[in-house]
């Protein structure tokens, strides 16, 4: 965050969001929530319709919104007011090939964003849940090769992780590659569990082919848990993903 409370992201700069989001001003909320930091990023699919994919990650802070309701209650009410969409209905926008751009925002601004899109987007519903828990373990070499690629801002970099989609009880070994054109591609195979994946047919081949590394030489280095909300526009060309309670 810059001194003017704007957000700087290297090559891109997010203007002072307190000045307005669409036609609705956020000025009344920014002074209250200036310490309630959030992260979101935009991913644009390069094939097909050029879909946009936004992820917002924010802290779980119990701060009142407008001195009426806490933000997490307002967020849930806004999500409950939206029409649902199923995973099967979202098959055309999986976003395995996309552009990622990351930003920082506040939880109060997330509330404003949801208000702007609530009539234009569906919310993904899985087993009657609209806020879905995720569990992810990231793997790296002993010398943290993949982390250092990211830390040193290498254009070409990669990630290896095992992610569990808790609501659907599905777990995948996933490999993400980012090239020097900022394009991100993800490949994955289903595995039995977070701890049972190395012996799965195709697991070693996937990691070797996409990273040049031996899966047996990768160690678990970071595990995180969060909850995710996925929104899809009514034209099914744009996806907005919101991650929180990290």
């Amino acid at each position: 965050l810059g001194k003017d409370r704007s957000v700087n992201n290297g090559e891109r700069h997010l203007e002072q969001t307190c000045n307005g989001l669409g036609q609705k001003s956020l000025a009344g909320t920014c002074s209250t929530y200036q310490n309630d930091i959030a992260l979101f990023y935009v991913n644009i699919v390069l094939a097909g319709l050029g879909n946009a994919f936004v992820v917002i990650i924010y802290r779980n802070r119990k701060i009142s919104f407008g001195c009426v309701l806490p933000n997490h209650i307002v967020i849930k009410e806004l999500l409950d007011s939206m029409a649902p969409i199923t995973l099967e209905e979202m098959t055309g926008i999986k976003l395995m090939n996309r552009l990622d751009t990351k930003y920082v925002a506040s939880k109060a601004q997330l509330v404003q964003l949801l208000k702007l899109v609530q009539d234009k987007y569906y919310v993904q519903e899985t087993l009657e849940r609209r806020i879905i828990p995720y569990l992810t373990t990231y793997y790296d070499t002993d010398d943290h090769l993949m982390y250092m690629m990211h830390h040193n801002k290498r254009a070409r970099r990669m990630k290896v992780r095992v992610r569990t989609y808790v609501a659907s009880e599905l777990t995948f070994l996933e490999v993400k590659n980012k090239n020097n054109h900022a394009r991100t591609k993800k490949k994955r195979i289903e595995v039995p569990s977070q701890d049972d994946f190395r012996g799965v047919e195709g697991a070693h081949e996937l990691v070797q082919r996409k990273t040049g590394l031996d899966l047996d030489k990768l160690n678990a280095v970071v595990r995180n848990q969060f909850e995710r909300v996925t929104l899809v526009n009514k034209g099914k060309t744009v996806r907005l993903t919101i991650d929180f309670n990290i």
Side-chain angles (χ1 to χ4, degrees):
L1 288 173
K3 294 181 179 179
D4 59 350
R5 292 184 296 166
S6 59
V7 179
N8 195 334
N9 183 43
E11 297 180 356
R12 304 207 179 195
H13 191 76
L14 185 62
E15 296 294 337
Q16 167 74 298
T17 51
C18 296
N19 291 336
L21 186 60
Q23 296 181 351
K24 297 187 178 181
S25 174
L26 299 178
T29 60
C30 285
S31 60
T32 304
Y33 303 100
Q34 59 185 349
N35 294 321
D36 187 22
I37 303 304
L39 171 69
F40 68 91
Y41 59 91
V42 178
N43 311 297
I44 302 174
V45 176
L46 299 181
L49 297 172
N51 305 335
F53 170 48
V54 180
V55 174
I56 301 176
I57 306 174
Y58 58 90
R59 296 180 188 173
N60 182 24
R61 299 283 300 271
K62 294 183 178 179
I63 301 177
S64 296
F65 173 70
C67 299
V68 177
L69 289 173
N71 279 325
H72 67 279
I73 295 178
V74 177
I75 290 167
K76 184 178 185 304
E77 289 184 348
L78 287 169
L79 293 172
D80 288 343
S81 73
M82 300 173 68
I85 188 171
T86 65
L87 278 172
E88 291 73 18
E89 294 171 317
M90 294 168 52
T91 54
I93 47 175
K94 290 183 177 179
L95 301 175
M96 295 295 191
N97 184 356
R98 62 187 188 239
L99 290 172
D100 296 350
T101 306
K102 300 180 181 180
Y103 300 96
V104 173
S106 72
K107 186 186 292 186
Q109 291 165 353
L110 172 59
V111 170
Q112 296 298 320
L113 177 63
L114 289 176
K115 288 180 178 180
L116 290 175
V117 304
Q118 67 181 126
D119 296 326
K120 303 177 179 67
Y121 280 71
Y122 301 105
V123 57
Q124 178 189 324
E125 186 172 279
T126 302
L127 301 176
E128 299 184 352
R129 301 179 68 167
R130 298 187 176 194
I131 300 177
I132 311 299
Y134 281 58
L135 172 65
T136 308
T137 305
Y138 288 86
Y139 288 79
D140 209 337
T141 60
D142 289 339
D143 58 356
H144 304 295
L145 171 65
M146 287 177 274
Y147 168 77
M148 294 307 299
M149 285 180 168
H150 180 83
H151 180 272
N152 295 333
K153 302 184 185 302
R154 288 275 301 273
R156 300 176 67 91
R157 52 186 186 257
M158 55 211 181
K159 295 178 182 177
V160 176
R161 69 190 185 196
V162 177
R163 169 162 289 178
T164 299
Y165 301 80
V166 179
S168 56
E169 299 183 339
L170 294 174
T171 300
F172 293 89
L173 170 64
E174 303 180 342
V175 180
K176 293 178 68 176
N177 294 89
K178 188 172 185 178
N179 66 19
N180 56 359
H181 299 292
R183 177 185 294 186
T184 298
K185 291 186 177 182
K186 182 171 74 173
K187 297 292 184 180
R188 68 184 189 179
I189 59 173
E190 188 173 352
V191 297
S193 69
Q194 285 278 330
D195 301 316
D196 183 12
F197 65 92
R198 296 181 191 269
V200 172
E201 182 179 357
H204 284 78
E205 291 77 6
L206 172 64
V207 173
Q208 176 66 40
R209 185 175 73 253
K210 304 304 294 186
T211 69
L213 300 173
D214 183 348
L215 179 58
D216 285 337
K217 295 183 179 180
L218 300 183
N219 306 307
V221 291
V222 174
R223 172 171 287 183
N224 64 34
Q225 296 174 268
F226 58 86
E227 293 178 304
R228 170 167 291 180
V229 170
T230 301
L231 308 181
V232 178
N233 74 323
K234 295 298 179 70
K236 298 183 181 179
T237 58
V238 177
R239 191 171 79 180
L240 178 90
T241 301
I242 305 162
D243 297 339
F244 55 96
N245 291 341
I246 301 172

